[in-house]
Amino acid sequence: LKGDNTMANYIQFKQLRTIANITRLKNSRNGNPSFQIGFTNGQVMTTKTDSSFGYIITHNWQGKDVLASYHFTPKGKPILDDATLLTG
């Protein structure tokens, strides 16, 4: 379908990361929370717009290990789609 933007067209990555810092950003137009996440390897990602994942993140994740699921936009910006807090 020409011009159909309903399906995502990107490669999903999953890697273990340690969260260095979490910064709350402005809400989306729909009022959903958005965050910028910095990792100990120096990489910085923002949460996906209007994702329910924004409601899960808390500041006590700082210093914790996560399994980060992310993709890159066509311009190379990393977007954090999901993360699972690792325990143990």
Side-chain angles (χ1 to χ4, degrees):
L1 296 169
K2 190 174 182 180
D4 182 14
N5 293 324
T6 58
M7 293 186 62
N9 188 19
Y10 54 78
I11 297 172
Q12 189 79 33
F13 297 91
K14 288 190 177 192
Q15 292 184 330
L16 296 175
R17 296 271 194 249
T18 302
I19 296 177
N21 56 63
I22 300 171
T23 304
R24 176 76 187 253
L25 303 175
K26 289 173 48 176
N27 286 356
S28 72
R29 285 189 232 175
N30 294 323
N32 295 311
S34 184
F35 293 90
Q36 182 180 65
I37 311 293
F39 297 97
T40 56
N41 70 348
Q43 190 169 32
V44 177
M45 300 181 191
T46 56
T47 54
K48 188 174 177 180
T49 302
D50 291 328
S51 169
S52 61
F53 174 58
Y55 289 97
I56 297 170
I57 298 172
T58 65
H59 285 282
N60 68 357
W61 283 27
Q62 286 184 198
K64 304 281 177 72
D65 295 328
V66 297
L67 178 59
S69 177
Y70 62 97
H71 73 276
F72 292 93
T73 67
K75 293 186 178 183
K77 181 180 176 183
I79 303 295
L80 184 63
D81 298 307
D82 194 17
T84 302
L85 188 61
L86 303 178
T87 57

